[in-house]
Structures are given as structure tokens and as C-alpha cells.
Amino acid sequence: MARDGLFASRTLQWTAPGAEWAVLAEAPHACPRTDVVAATDPAMLAAGEALFNSPALLGGQAAKAELSCAACHRTGRGNPHFLMPQLSGAPGTADVTNSFFSPARANAHFDPVPIPDLAMPGKVSRAPGDPALPRFVRTLVVEEFSGAEPSSAMLDALSAYVRSIGPCPAGAAAGEPRRLADQLRLIELAIAGAAAAEADPLLRRQSIAAARHQLGLIDERYARPGLSGLRRQLLAASLDLARLEDGADALRKWHARFAAGLAPRLERRERLSLYDSAVLRRALAAPAKAPD
Ligand code: HEC
């Protein structure tokens, strides 16, 4: 729900009332398993994390609501604030066998369960090379979320990322502030994944869509007075990306241009954007007082 047009964050569509600040200001720490990271092809891991954060992977209602895997599994963990009426019981739960997302797997019962932290051992084996995980992820994408059939490289990439999600040491801070740098990093990962995907046009296309989604998330945070010039440049960069010709070179050149030009311009204005905690607090305070 766009709150009075003040901050039309899509994230608020699946966030429990009262938890807006928790979800928009902070994100859980990533504590990747260093042994898994060291043993995994970096481009595959990059693509996997980018896809995990991209709604273009899912179809139907999930894509319309701009849900990605990361909407429920924030930084690969759970999301105690996730709430979508068609899907959740209490906040933090979801029924991923609900007809809302896919008629294919609709079961008769509404049985929301807590969204698991993927760093914890679960029902699905994370052992390297075990096909159970890519098979499970395929079922999620195609049957639960009506996504298009993913390529095996996409499933391997997503599985590699899921395997890399590690538990944080006890006593570590629960979260860290969300910054422009989070989006810039995911754009870099998506482009690295796309550039390495020459043999797999689907993975390339999905990685580009993942990068464009991150540009859109930046745009959302720059919806403030005085920043419309930057938003126009974001849109232009996104359209350029969509029109790129095949080949890793074009992608790398796009990213070099972005990293040397628009990214530092965005950084210089970050404190005026909704990434800044004071700006965000003011934007959320005003509509929170209005009756829902
Ligand atoms: C609408 C919220 C939601 C979305 C979106 C979502 N998940 Fe989940 N996920 C859940 C819930 C709830 C469970 C627990 C299901 C159960 O236990 O039956 C789960 C379970 C899992 C598990 C199994 C954990 C175990 O027990 O071993 C994996 C792996 C996983 N999700 C990965 C993903 C990936 C990859 C995506 C994106 C393609 C994704 N999830 C999207 C809510 C979600």
C-alpha cells in the first residue's frame, strides 16, 4: 500500500502494520559460509544471490506483488514481519501451497507456517551436489509461484546461494542499516552473473531483470523533492540495460559507465533520499498518523 503517496514502497504490501521501520531501515546481517563461498564459482554465486532478490523469477500474483525469494527470506533468513492477507496467518508465516500464487499446488487447507531461516538445517538437504535442493527450488518457482521454467544453470545458481547462507555468530547485531550500497552491490552481482551466462540466454535475461529491479528499488528511495533528475537518469540506465546487445562486453561496459557516473552521483545525494534514517523516519511518521 502506498501510504498517502509519501513513500510508495512495494515492500509495504507485504509488511505487517507497525513494522515499516523495521523492514525499511534495517536488514538482517549476511553471514555467508566461507567454506561454501571458497568452493563455489563466484559468477554462479553472484547470479544466485541476484536471482534470489528478483521478482522476475516468480510469476503470477507473486510477480505482480513484486515478491522475490528475499521478500520472505530476508538476507536468506526469515521475515517476522511478513504479512499478506491471502497468505499469512500471524506475521512471519506464509502458506506456500496457497492457490493465490498457483492453482497447480493449491491444497484444500490454509496452513501458513513460519518462514524458515535458510541458514538453519531444514527438510531439504543442502549437501553440495545433492539434487534435492535444485529440485525443491524448481518446485517453488514453477508450482508454488507460477514462474516460467527456470534453466538448470538458474537452479544451480539459486541452490549455490542458498547453500552459502550461514548462521551469524551468537551476539552479532541482529541487523544493519539498509543503504544505497546494498542495491549497488546487487546490481554488480547481477551484471557479473549475466556477463558469465553467455551459454544460457535465460540466465542472462533473468540476471538483467534482477539488475533492473535493483535500479527500481533505488528509484523508490529517491522519490524526494530535488532528486527527479537522478530518477530520470536511473530510468535511462535501466532502459539502456534492457536494450543491450548480447555479449559480456556490452554488459561490462554498461556497468563501468554506471559505476563511474550515476552511482557516485547517487551516493552524493544519498542523505537526501529515503535511505537516510532521518528522512525515512519523517516520511513514515506522517502517514502513520492517518487512519488506515
Ligand atoms: C511467500 C513467502 C515465501 C517466498 C516468496 C519464498 N519462500 Fe521459501 N519458504 C517459505 C516458507 C513458509 C517455507 C516453509 C515451508 C514448509 O516448511 O512447508 C519455505 C521453505 C523454503 C526452503 C526449505 C527450507 C528447509 O526446510 O530445508 C527453501 C530452501 C526455500 N524456502 C527457498 C526459497 C527460494 C529459493 C525462494 C524463491 C524462489 C523462496 N524460498 C521463496 C516462504 C517463502
PDB file of all heavy atoms in Angstrom, residues 44-58 67-70 150-151 153-159 161 186 189-190 202-211 213-214:
ATOM      1  N   MET A  44      28.575 -17.850 -10.438  1.00  0.00           N
ATOM      2  CA  MET A  44      27.348 -18.604 -10.166  1.00  0.00           C
ATOM      3  C   MET A  44      26.705 -18.110  -8.856  1.00  0.00           C
ATOM      4  O   MET A  44      25.490 -17.905  -8.778  1.00  0.00           O
ATOM      5  CB  MET A  44      27.687 -20.089 -10.061  1.00  0.00           C
ATOM      6  CG  MET A  44      26.517 -20.950  -9.702  1.00  0.00           C
ATOM      7  SD  MET A  44      26.707 -22.593 -10.368  1.00  0.00           S
ATOM      8  CE  MET A  44      27.415 -23.426  -8.987  1.00  0.00           C
ATOM      9  N   LEU A  45      27.553 -17.887  -7.856  1.00  0.00           N
ATOM     10  CA  LEU A  45      27.057 -17.396  -6.575  1.00  0.00           C
ATOM     11  C   LEU A  45      26.447 -15.998  -6.742  1.00  0.00           C
ATOM     12  O   LEU A  45      25.396 -15.686  -6.168  1.00  0.00           O
ATOM     13  CB  LEU A  45      28.231 -17.348  -5.587  1.00  0.00           C
ATOM     14  CG  LEU A  45      27.943 -17.468  -4.108  1.00  0.00           C
ATOM     15  CD1 LEU A  45      27.047 -18.648  -3.799  1.00  0.00           C
ATOM     16  CD2 LEU A  45      29.263 -17.579  -3.337  1.00  0.00           C
ATOM     17  N   ALA A  46      27.113 -15.177  -7.549  1.00  0.00           N
ATOM     18  CA  ALA A  46      26.627 -13.817  -7.803  1.00  0.00           C
ATOM     19  C   ALA A  46      25.249 -13.874  -8.460  1.00  0.00           C
ATOM     20  O   ALA A  46      24.304 -13.200  -8.032  1.00  0.00           O
ATOM     21  CB  ALA A  46      27.614 -13.060  -8.695  1.00  0.00           C
ATOM     22  N   ALA A  47      25.127 -14.711  -9.489  1.00  0.00           N
ATOM     23  CA  ALA A  47      23.838 -14.836 -10.175  1.00  0.00           C
ATOM     24  C   ALA A  47      22.775 -15.342  -9.217  1.00  0.00           C
ATOM     25  O   ALA A  47      21.634 -14.866  -9.219  1.00  0.00           O
ATOM     26  CB  ALA A  47      23.965 -15.776 -11.373  1.00  0.00           C
ATOM     27  N   GLY A  48      23.144 -16.307  -8.366  1.00  0.00           N
ATOM     28  CA  GLY A  48      22.175 -16.880  -7.439  1.00  0.00           C
ATOM     29  C   GLY A  48      21.631 -15.846  -6.463  1.00  0.00           C
ATOM     30  O   GLY A  48      20.424 -15.761  -6.243  1.00  0.00           O
ATOM     31  N   GLU A  49      22.513 -15.034  -5.916  1.00  0.00           N
ATOM     32  CA  GLU A  49      22.041 -14.020  -4.963  1.00  0.00           C
ATOM     33  C   GLU A  49      21.194 -12.971  -5.678  1.00  0.00           C
ATOM     34  O   GLU A  49      20.186 -12.492  -5.143  1.00  0.00           O
ATOM     35  CB  GLU A  49      23.225 -13.364  -4.241  1.00  0.00           C
ATOM     36  CG  GLU A  49      22.744 -12.420  -3.150  1.00  0.00           C
ATOM     37  CD  GLU A  49      23.841 -11.911  -2.227  1.00  0.00           C
ATOM     38  OE1 GLU A  49      24.990 -12.391  -2.318  1.00  0.00           O
ATOM     39  OE2 GLU A  49      23.537 -11.022  -1.413  1.00  0.00           O
ATOM     40  N   ALA A  50      21.598 -12.612  -6.902  1.00  0.00           N
ATOM     41  CA  ALA A  50      20.815 -11.630  -7.662  1.00  0.00           C
ATOM     42  C   ALA A  50      19.417 -12.173  -7.967  1.00  0.00           C
ATOM     43  O   ALA A  50      18.406 -11.480  -7.785  1.00  0.00           O
ATOM     44  CB  ALA A  50      21.547 -11.255  -8.959  1.00  0.00           C
ATOM     45  N   LEU A  51      19.339 -13.435  -8.397  1.00  0.00           N
ATOM     46  CA  LEU A  51      18.025 -14.021  -8.722  1.00  0.00           C
ATOM     47  C   LEU A  51      17.155 -14.149  -7.470  1.00  0.00           C
ATOM     48  O   LEU A  51      15.939 -13.955  -7.521  1.00  0.00           O
ATOM     49  CB  LEU A  51      18.182 -15.411  -9.354  1.00  0.00           C
ATOM     50  CG  LEU A  51      18.885 -15.504 -10.705  1.00  0.00           C
ATOM     51  CD1 LEU A  51      18.873 -16.953 -11.196  1.00  0.00           C
ATOM     52  CD2 LEU A  51      18.241 -14.601 -11.734  1.00  0.00           C
ATOM     53  N   PHE A  52      17.782 -14.517  -6.374  1.00  0.00           N
ATOM     54  CA  PHE A  52      17.050 -14.678  -5.107  1.00  0.00           C
ATOM     55  C   PHE A  52      16.335 -13.372  -4.727  1.00  0.00           C
ATOM     56  O   PHE A  52      15.286 -13.383  -4.104  1.00  0.00           O
ATOM     57  CB  PHE A  52      18.053 -15.071  -4.014  1.00  0.00           C
ATOM     58  CG  PHE A  52      17.440 -15.546  -2.729  1.00  0.00           C
ATOM     59  CD1 PHE A  52      17.106 -16.886  -2.558  1.00  0.00           C
ATOM     60  CD2 PHE A  52      17.213 -14.676  -1.671  1.00  0.00           C
ATOM     61  CE1 PHE A  52      16.560 -17.343  -1.365  1.00  0.00           C
ATOM     62  CE2 PHE A  52      16.662 -15.121  -0.477  1.00  0.00           C
ATOM     63  CZ  PHE A  52      16.331 -16.463  -0.322  1.00  0.00           C
ATOM     64  N   ASN A  53      16.908 -12.252  -5.163  1.00  0.00           N
ATOM     65  CA  ASN A  53      16.353 -10.936  -4.838  1.00  0.00           C
ATOM     66  C   ASN A  53      15.472 -10.369  -5.943  1.00  0.00           C
ATOM     67  O   ASN A  53      15.109  -9.195  -5.890  1.00  0.00           O
ATOM     68  CB  ASN A  53      17.504  -9.960  -4.535  1.00  0.00           C
ATOM     69  CG  ASN A  53      18.062 -10.172  -3.135  1.00  0.00           C
ATOM     70  OD1 ASN A  53      17.518  -9.660  -2.161  1.00  0.00           O
ATOM     71  ND2 ASN A  53      19.123 -10.965  -3.019  1.00  0.00           N
ATOM     72  N   SER A  54      15.150 -11.172  -6.950  1.00  0.00           N
ATOM     73  CA  SER A  54      14.435 -10.633  -8.112  1.00  0.00           C
ATOM     74  C   SER A  54      13.028 -11.194  -8.272  1.00  0.00           C
ATOM     75  O   SER A  54      12.852 -12.411  -8.383  1.00  0.00           O
ATOM     76  CB  SER A  54      15.231 -10.960  -9.379  1.00  0.00           C
ATOM     77  OG  SER A  54      14.471 -10.625 -10.517  1.00  0.00           O
ATOM     78  N   PRO A  55      12.015 -10.335  -8.319  1.00  0.00           N
ATOM     79  CA  PRO A  55      10.648 -10.833  -8.538  1.00  0.00           C
ATOM     80  C   PRO A  55      10.436 -11.413  -9.933  1.00  0.00           C
ATOM     81  O   PRO A  55       9.483 -12.151 -10.138  1.00  0.00           O
ATOM     82  CB  PRO A  55       9.768  -9.590  -8.347  1.00  0.00           C
ATOM     83  CG  PRO A  55      10.660  -8.449  -8.055  1.00  0.00           C
ATOM     84  CD  PRO A  55      12.081  -8.881  -8.138  1.00  0.00           C
ATOM     85  N   ALA A  56      11.329 -11.105 -10.884  1.00  0.00           N
ATOM     86  CA  ALA A  56      11.133 -11.602 -12.255  1.00  0.00           C
ATOM     87  C   ALA A  56      11.228 -13.120 -12.324  1.00  0.00           C
ATOM     88  O   ALA A  56      10.762 -13.739 -13.281  1.00  0.00           O
ATOM     89  CB  ALA A  56      12.166 -10.973 -13.193  1.00  0.00           C
ATOM     90  N   LEU A  57      11.820 -13.719 -11.282  1.00  0.00           N
ATOM     91  CA  LEU A  57      11.943 -15.177 -11.240  1.00  0.00           C
ATOM     92  C   LEU A  57      10.580 -15.843 -11.041  1.00  0.00           C
ATOM     93  O   LEU A  57      10.342 -16.953 -11.489  1.00  0.00           O
ATOM     94  CB  LEU A  57      12.845 -15.519 -10.051  1.00  0.00           C
ATOM     95  CG  LEU A  57      13.241 -16.946  -9.808  1.00  0.00           C
ATOM     96  CD1 LEU A  57      14.156 -17.421 -10.913  1.00  0.00           C
ATOM     97  CD2 LEU A  57      13.944 -17.059  -8.454  1.00  0.00           C
ATOM     98  N   LEU A  58       9.694 -15.166 -10.318  1.00  0.00           N
ATOM     99  CA  LEU A  58       8.389 -15.740  -9.980  1.00  0.00           C
ATOM    100  C   LEU A  58       7.361 -15.235 -10.987  1.00  0.00           C
ATOM    101  O   LEU A  58       7.607 -14.304 -11.735  1.00  0.00           O
ATOM    102  CB  LEU A  58       8.011 -15.355  -8.547  1.00  0.00           C
ATOM    103  CG  LEU A  58       9.094 -15.626  -7.488  1.00  0.00           C
ATOM    104  CD1 LEU A  58       8.617 -15.220  -6.106  1.00  0.00           C
ATOM    105  CD2 LEU A  58       9.514 -17.089  -7.489  1.00  0.00           C
ATOM    106  N   LEU A  67       6.995  -9.830  -5.264  1.00  0.00           N
ATOM    107  CA  LEU A  67       7.630 -10.707  -4.277  1.00  0.00           C
ATOM    108  C   LEU A  67       8.835 -11.385  -4.909  1.00  0.00           C
ATOM    109  O   LEU A  67       8.781 -11.836  -6.040  1.00  0.00           O
ATOM    110  CB  LEU A  67       6.670 -11.837  -3.872  1.00  0.00           C
ATOM    111  CG  LEU A  67       5.587 -11.596  -2.863  1.00  0.00           C
ATOM    112  CD1 LEU A  67       4.983 -12.938  -2.462  1.00  0.00           C
ATOM    113  CD2 LEU A  67       6.111 -10.869  -1.645  1.00  0.00           C
ATOM    114  N   SER A  68       9.886 -11.477  -4.145  1.00  0.00           N
ATOM    115  CA  SER A  68      11.026 -12.297  -4.549  1.00  0.00           C
ATOM    116  C   SER A  68      11.230 -13.308  -3.425  1.00  0.00           C
ATOM    117  O   SER A  68      10.555 -13.249  -2.396  1.00  0.00           O
ATOM    118  CB  SER A  68      12.273 -11.424  -4.699  1.00  0.00           C
ATOM    119  OG  SER A  68      12.600 -10.852  -3.447  1.00  0.00           O
ATOM    120  N   CYS A  69      12.179 -14.222  -3.613  1.00  0.00           N
ATOM    121  CA  CYS A  69      12.512 -15.124  -2.506  1.00  0.00           C
ATOM    122  C   CYS A  69      12.871 -14.294  -1.272  1.00  0.00           C
ATOM    123  O   CYS A  69      12.516 -14.639  -0.140  1.00  0.00           O
ATOM    124  CB  CYS A  69      13.713 -16.001  -2.843  1.00  0.00           C
ATOM    125  SG  CYS A  69      13.660 -16.847  -4.424  1.00  0.00           S
ATOM    126  N   ALA A  70      13.582 -13.169  -1.509  1.00  0.00           N
ATOM    127  CA  ALA A  70      14.085 -12.358  -0.398  1.00  0.00           C
ATOM    128  C   ALA A  70      12.987 -11.584   0.332  1.00  0.00           C
ATOM    129  O   ALA A  70      13.217 -11.096   1.435  1.00  0.00           O
ATOM    130  CB  ALA A  70      15.145 -11.392  -0.911  1.00  0.00           C
ATOM    131  N   PRO A 150      12.622 -22.514 -15.022  1.00  0.00           N
ATOM    132  CA  PRO A 150      13.995 -21.989 -14.962  1.00  0.00           C
ATOM    133  C   PRO A 150      14.972 -22.944 -15.652  1.00  0.00           C
ATOM    134  O   PRO A 150      14.718 -24.142 -15.739  1.00  0.00           O
ATOM    135  CB  PRO A 150      14.286 -21.928 -13.456  1.00  0.00           C
ATOM    136  CG  PRO A 150      13.166 -22.625 -12.759  1.00  0.00           C
ATOM    137  CD  PRO A 150      12.169 -23.104 -13.759  1.00  0.00           C
ATOM    138  N   SER A 151      16.082 -22.406 -16.133  1.00  0.00           N
ATOM    139  CA  SER A 151      17.119 -23.260 -16.720  1.00  0.00           C
ATOM    140  C   SER A 151      17.869 -23.952 -15.583  1.00  0.00           C
ATOM    141  O   SER A 151      17.802 -23.526 -14.421  1.00  0.00           O
ATOM    142  CB  SER A 151      18.095 -22.415 -17.538  1.00  0.00           C
ATOM    143  OG  SER A 151      18.818 -21.546 -16.688  1.00  0.00           O
ATOM    144  N   ALA A 153      20.994 -23.924 -15.101  1.00  0.00           N
ATOM    145  CA  ALA A 153      22.013 -23.001 -14.569  1.00  0.00           C
ATOM    146  C   ALA A 153      21.397 -22.051 -13.541  1.00  0.00           C
ATOM    147  O   ALA A 153      22.030 -21.702 -12.538  1.00  0.00           O
ATOM    148  CB  ALA A 153      22.652 -22.207 -15.710  1.00  0.00           C
ATOM    149  N   MET A 154      20.147 -21.637 -13.789  1.00  0.00           N
ATOM    150  CA  MET A 154      19.467 -20.766 -12.814  1.00  0.00           C
ATOM    151  C   MET A 154      19.255 -21.508 -11.492  1.00  0.00           C
ATOM    152  O   MET A 154      19.455 -20.955 -10.408  1.00  0.00           O
ATOM    153  CB  MET A 154      18.121 -20.290 -13.368  1.00  0.00           C
ATOM    154  CG  MET A 154      18.237 -19.211 -14.438  1.00  0.00           C
ATOM    155  SD  MET A 154      16.650 -18.950 -15.280  1.00  0.00           S
ATOM    156  CE  MET A 154      15.636 -18.363 -13.923  1.00  0.00           C
ATOM    157  N   LEU A 155      18.816 -22.777 -11.597  1.00  0.00           N
ATOM    158  CA  LEU A 155      18.566 -23.558 -10.366  1.00  0.00           C
ATOM    159  C   LEU A 155      19.861 -23.827  -9.616  1.00  0.00           C
ATOM    160  O   LEU A 155      19.898 -23.784  -8.381  1.00  0.00           O
ATOM    161  CB  LEU A 155      17.864 -24.875 -10.728  1.00  0.00           C
ATOM    162  CG  LEU A 155      16.455 -24.704 -11.297  1.00  0.00           C
ATOM    163  CD1 LEU A 155      15.881 -26.057 -11.717  1.00  0.00           C
ATOM    164  CD2 LEU A 155      15.538 -24.029 -10.277  1.00  0.00           C
ATOM    165  N   ASP A 156      20.944 -24.097 -10.376  1.00  0.00           N
ATOM    166  CA  ASP A 156      22.237 -24.317  -9.719  1.00  0.00           C
ATOM    167  C   ASP A 156      22.694 -23.049  -9.008  1.00  0.00           C
ATOM    168  O   ASP A 156      23.242 -23.109  -7.907  1.00  0.00           O
ATOM    169  CB  ASP A 156      23.292 -24.751 -10.752  1.00  0.00           C
ATOM    170  CG  ASP A 156      23.059 -26.183 -11.222  1.00  0.00           C
ATOM    171  OD1 ASP A 156      22.269 -26.904 -10.566  1.00  0.00           O
ATOM    172  OD2 ASP A 156      23.650 -26.585 -12.237  1.00  0.00           O
ATOM    173  N   ALA A 157      22.480 -21.906  -9.657  1.00  0.00           N
ATOM    174  CA  ALA A 157      22.907 -20.635  -9.066  1.00  0.00           C
ATOM    175  C   ALA A 157      22.120 -20.351  -7.781  1.00  0.00           C
ATOM    176  O   ALA A 157      22.705 -20.026  -6.737  1.00  0.00           O
ATOM    177  CB  ALA A 157      22.722 -19.498 -10.076  1.00  0.00           C
ATOM    178  N   LEU A 158      20.798 -20.518  -7.852  1.00  0.00           N
ATOM    179  CA  LEU A 158      19.977 -20.289  -6.656  1.00  0.00           C
ATOM    180  C   LEU A 158      20.368 -21.249  -5.533  1.00  0.00           C
ATOM    181  O   LEU A 158      20.459 -20.857  -4.372  1.00  0.00           O
ATOM    182  CB  LEU A 158      18.492 -20.470  -6.999  1.00  0.00           C
ATOM    183  CG  LEU A 158      17.833 -19.279  -7.698  1.00  0.00           C
ATOM    184  CD1 LEU A 158      16.554 -19.725  -8.414  1.00  0.00           C
ATOM    185  CD2 LEU A 158      17.507 -18.166  -6.696  1.00  0.00           C
ATOM    186  N   SER A 159      20.615 -22.507  -5.894  1.00  0.00           N
ATOM    187  CA  SER A 159      20.978 -23.502  -4.874  1.00  0.00           C
ATOM    188  C   SER A 159      22.335 -23.150  -4.270  1.00  0.00           C
ATOM    189  O   SER A 159      22.537 -23.301  -3.055  1.00  0.00           O
ATOM    190  CB  SER A 159      21.027 -24.902  -5.487  1.00  0.00           C
ATOM    191  OG  SER A 159      19.767 -25.213  -6.039  1.00  0.00           O
ATOM    192  N   TYR A 161      23.585 -20.217  -3.891  1.00  0.00           N
ATOM    193  CA  TYR A 161      23.395 -19.112  -2.936  1.00  0.00           C
ATOM    194  C   TYR A 161      22.757 -19.621  -1.641  1.00  0.00           C
ATOM    195  O   TYR A 161      23.208 -19.292  -0.542  1.00  0.00           O
ATOM    196  CB  TYR A 161      22.556 -17.985  -3.562  1.00  0.00           C
ATOM    197  CG  TYR A 161      22.198 -16.940  -2.532  1.00  0.00           C
ATOM    198  CD1 TYR A 161      23.177 -16.155  -1.936  1.00  0.00           C
ATOM    199  CD2 TYR A 161      20.874 -16.756  -2.112  1.00  0.00           C
ATOM    200  CE1 TYR A 161      22.863 -15.221  -0.950  1.00  0.00           C
ATOM    201  CE2 TYR A 161      20.546 -15.827  -1.142  1.00  0.00           C
ATOM    202  CZ  TYR A 161      21.542 -15.061  -0.567  1.00  0.00           C
ATOM    203  OH  TYR A 161      21.225 -14.151   0.414  1.00  0.00           O
ATOM    204  N   LEU A 186      24.075  -5.508  -5.308  1.00  0.00           N
ATOM    205  CA  LEU A 186      23.256  -6.498  -6.018  1.00  0.00           C
ATOM    206  C   LEU A 186      23.263  -6.246  -7.531  1.00  0.00           C
ATOM    207  O   LEU A 186      23.188  -7.190  -8.318  1.00  0.00           O
ATOM    208  CB  LEU A 186      21.823  -6.513  -5.464  1.00  0.00           C
ATOM    209  CG  LEU A 186      21.707  -7.238  -4.116  1.00  0.00           C
ATOM    210  CD1 LEU A 186      20.357  -6.952  -3.456  1.00  0.00           C
ATOM    211  CD2 LEU A 186      21.874  -8.752  -4.291  1.00  0.00           C
ATOM    212  N   LEU A 189      26.466  -7.784  -8.701  1.00  0.00           N
ATOM    213  CA  LEU A 189      26.355  -9.249  -8.741  1.00  0.00           C
ATOM    214  C   LEU A 189      25.529  -9.695  -9.946  1.00  0.00           C
ATOM    215  O   LEU A 189      25.887 -10.653 -10.643  1.00  0.00           O
ATOM    216  CB  LEU A 189      25.700  -9.772  -7.456  1.00  0.00           C
ATOM    217  CG  LEU A 189      26.474  -9.596  -6.148  1.00  0.00           C
ATOM    218  CD1 LEU A 189      25.683 -10.183  -4.984  1.00  0.00           C
ATOM    219  CD2 LEU A 189      27.848 -10.247  -6.239  1.00  0.00           C
ATOM    220  N   ALA A 190      24.424  -8.985 -10.190  1.00  0.00           N
ATOM    221  CA  ALA A 190      23.542  -9.372 -11.304  1.00  0.00           C
ATOM    222  C   ALA A 190      24.288  -9.240 -12.634  1.00  0.00           C
ATOM    223  O   ALA A 190      24.180 -10.111 -13.512  1.00  0.00           O
ATOM    224  CB  ALA A 190      22.277  -8.512 -11.307  1.00  0.00           C
ATOM    225  N   LEU A 202      18.638 -17.574 -20.911  1.00  0.00           N
ATOM    226  CA  LEU A 202      17.602 -17.365 -19.901  1.00  0.00           C
ATOM    227  C   LEU A 202      18.214 -16.789 -18.616  1.00  0.00           C
ATOM    228  O   LEU A 202      17.683 -15.836 -18.031  1.00  0.00           O
ATOM    229  CB  LEU A 202      16.912 -18.705 -19.608  1.00  0.00           C
ATOM    230  CG  LEU A 202      15.587 -18.634 -18.867  1.00  0.00           C
ATOM    231  CD1 LEU A 202      14.623 -17.680 -19.547  1.00  0.00           C
ATOM    232  CD2 LEU A 202      14.971 -20.026 -18.755  1.00  0.00           C
ATOM    233  N   LEU A 203      19.331 -17.360 -18.212  1.00  0.00           N
ATOM    234  CA  LEU A 203      20.017 -16.851 -17.021  1.00  0.00           C
ATOM    235  C   LEU A 203      20.465 -15.408 -17.257  1.00  0.00           C
ATOM    236  O   LEU A 203      20.365 -14.551 -16.377  1.00  0.00           O
ATOM    237  CB  LEU A 203      21.223 -17.737 -16.673  1.00  0.00           C
ATOM    238  CG  LEU A 203      22.123 -17.249 -15.521  1.00  0.00           C
ATOM    239  CD1 LEU A 203      21.340 -17.027 -14.239  1.00  0.00           C
ATOM    240  CD2 LEU A 203      23.257 -18.243 -15.268  1.00  0.00           C
ATOM    241  N   ARG A 204      20.941 -15.133 -18.470  1.00  0.00           N
ATOM    242  CA  ARG A 204      21.376 -13.777 -18.786  1.00  0.00           C
ATOM    243  C   ARG A 204      20.193 -12.808 -18.667  1.00  0.00           C
ATOM    244  O   ARG A 204      20.286 -11.776 -18.024  1.00  0.00           O
ATOM    245  CB  ARG A 204      21.945 -13.747 -20.214  1.00  0.00           C
ATOM    246  CG  ARG A 204      22.459 -12.398 -20.650  1.00  0.00           C
ATOM    247  CD  ARG A 204      22.981 -12.478 -22.089  1.00  0.00           C
ATOM    248  NE  ARG A 204      23.794 -11.316 -22.416  1.00  0.00           N
ATOM    249  CZ  ARG A 204      23.296 -10.178 -22.864  1.00  0.00           C
ATOM    250  NH1 ARG A 204      22.004 -10.042 -23.032  1.00  0.00           N
ATOM    251  NH2 ARG A 204      24.105  -9.169 -23.147  1.00  0.00           N
ATOM    252  N   ARG A 205      19.063 -13.183 -19.288  1.00  0.00           N
ATOM    253  CA  ARG A 205      17.882 -12.320 -19.269  1.00  0.00           C
ATOM    254  C   ARG A 205      17.394 -12.094 -17.830  1.00  0.00           C
ATOM    255  O   ARG A 205      17.049 -10.989 -17.430  1.00  0.00           O
ATOM    256  CB  ARG A 205      16.787 -12.964 -20.104  1.00  0.00           C
ATOM    257  CG  ARG A 205      15.988 -11.964 -20.865  1.00  0.00           C
ATOM    258  CD  ARG A 205      15.158 -12.487 -22.020  1.00  0.00           C
ATOM    259  NE  ARG A 205      14.469 -13.736 -21.809  1.00  0.00           N
ATOM    260  CZ  ARG A 205      14.685 -14.819 -22.552  1.00  0.00           C
ATOM    261  NH1 ARG A 205      15.568 -14.810 -23.526  1.00  0.00           N
ATOM    262  NH2 ARG A 205      13.995 -15.921 -22.338  1.00  0.00           N
ATOM    263  N   GLN A 206      17.371 -13.183 -17.061  1.00  0.00           N
ATOM    264  CA  GLN A 206      16.901 -13.075 -15.671  1.00  0.00           C
ATOM    265  C   GLN A 206      17.850 -12.230 -14.829  1.00  0.00           C
ATOM    266  O   GLN A 206      17.414 -11.510 -13.935  1.00  0.00           O
ATOM    267  CB  GLN A 206      16.762 -14.476 -15.067  1.00  0.00           C
ATOM    268  CG  GLN A 206      15.511 -15.215 -15.518  1.00  0.00           C
ATOM    269  CD  GLN A 206      14.252 -14.719 -14.797  1.00  0.00           C
ATOM    270  OE1 GLN A 206      14.321 -13.969 -13.841  1.00  0.00           O
ATOM    271  NE2 GLN A 206      13.101 -15.168 -15.272  1.00  0.00           N
ATOM    272  N   SER A 207      19.139 -12.324 -15.100  1.00  0.00           N
ATOM    273  CA  SER A 207      20.101 -11.535 -14.328  1.00  0.00           C
ATOM    274  C   SER A 207      19.949 -10.051 -14.658  1.00  0.00           C
ATOM    275  O   SER A 207      20.061  -9.195 -13.779  1.00  0.00           O
ATOM    276  CB  SER A 207      21.534 -11.997 -14.617  1.00  0.00           C
ATOM    277  OG  SER A 207      21.682 -13.360 -14.298  1.00  0.00           O
ATOM    278  N   ILE A 208      19.688  -9.761 -15.927  1.00  0.00           N
ATOM    279  CA  ILE A 208      19.468  -8.360 -16.318  1.00  0.00           C
ATOM    280  C   ILE A 208      18.187  -7.840 -15.654  1.00  0.00           C
ATOM    281  O   ILE A 208      18.157  -6.722 -15.129  1.00  0.00           O
ATOM    282  CB  ILE A 208      19.420  -8.221 -17.853  1.00  0.00           C
ATOM    283  CG1 ILE A 208      20.826  -8.444 -18.425  1.00  0.00           C
ATOM    284  CG2 ILE A 208      18.867  -6.858 -18.270  1.00  0.00           C
ATOM    285  CD1 ILE A 208      20.912  -8.446 -19.939  1.00  0.00           C
ATOM    286  N   ALA A 209      17.150  -8.666 -15.645  1.00  0.00           N
ATOM    287  CA  ALA A 209      15.906  -8.257 -14.966  1.00  0.00           C
ATOM    288  C   ALA A 209      16.169  -8.015 -13.483  1.00  0.00           C
ATOM    289  O   ALA A 209      15.610  -7.089 -12.880  1.00  0.00           O
ATOM    290  CB  ALA A 209      14.824  -9.332 -15.156  1.00  0.00           C
ATOM    291  N   ALA A 210      17.041  -8.825 -12.888  1.00  0.00           N
ATOM    292  CA  ALA A 210      17.379  -8.656 -11.465  1.00  0.00           C
ATOM    293  C   ALA A 210      18.082  -7.321 -11.240  1.00  0.00           C
ATOM    294  O   ALA A 210      17.793  -6.613 -10.269  1.00  0.00           O
ATOM    295  CB  ALA A 210      18.260  -9.816 -11.001  1.00  0.00           C
ATOM    296  N   ALA A 211      18.987  -6.960 -12.137  1.00  0.00           N
ATOM    297  CA  ALA A 211      19.689  -5.671 -12.013  1.00  0.00           C
ATOM    298  C   ALA A 211      18.702  -4.521 -12.168  1.00  0.00           C
ATOM    299  O   ALA A 211      18.746  -3.536 -11.410  1.00  0.00           O
ATOM    300  CB  ALA A 211      20.798  -5.567 -13.064  1.00  0.00           C
ATOM    301  N   HIS A 213      15.550  -4.539 -11.499  1.00  0.00           N
ATOM    302  CA  HIS A 213      14.730  -4.453 -10.289  1.00  0.00           C
ATOM    303  C   HIS A 213      15.448  -3.640  -9.215  1.00  0.00           C
ATOM    304  O   HIS A 213      14.835  -2.810  -8.530  1.00  0.00           O
ATOM    305  CB  HIS A 213      14.397  -5.851  -9.773  1.00  0.00           C
ATOM    306  CG  HIS A 213      13.628  -5.838  -8.484  1.00  0.00           C
ATOM    307  ND1 HIS A 213      12.340  -5.344  -8.404  1.00  0.00           N
ATOM    308  CD2 HIS A 213      13.971  -6.222  -7.238  1.00  0.00           C
ATOM    309  CE1 HIS A 213      11.925  -5.431  -7.140  1.00  0.00           C
ATOM    310  NE2 HIS A 213      12.897  -5.959  -6.418  1.00  0.00           N
ATOM    311  N   GLN A 214      16.743  -3.854  -9.071  1.00  0.00           N
ATOM    312  CA  GLN A 214      17.500  -3.102  -8.061  1.00  0.00           C
ATOM    313  C   GLN A 214      17.537  -1.614  -8.409  1.00  0.00           C
ATOM    314  O   GLN A 214      17.462  -0.763  -7.522  1.00  0.00           O
ATOM    315  CB  GLN A 214      18.927  -3.665  -7.921  1.00  0.00           C
ATOM    316  CG  GLN A 214      18.964  -5.109  -7.386  1.00  0.00           C
ATOM    317  CD  GLN A 214      18.329  -5.242  -6.006  1.00  0.00           C
ATOM    318  OE1 GLN A 214      18.467  -4.365  -5.163  1.00  0.00           O
ATOM    319  NE2 GLN A 214      17.627  -6.351  -5.767  1.00  0.00           N
TER     320      GLN A 214
END
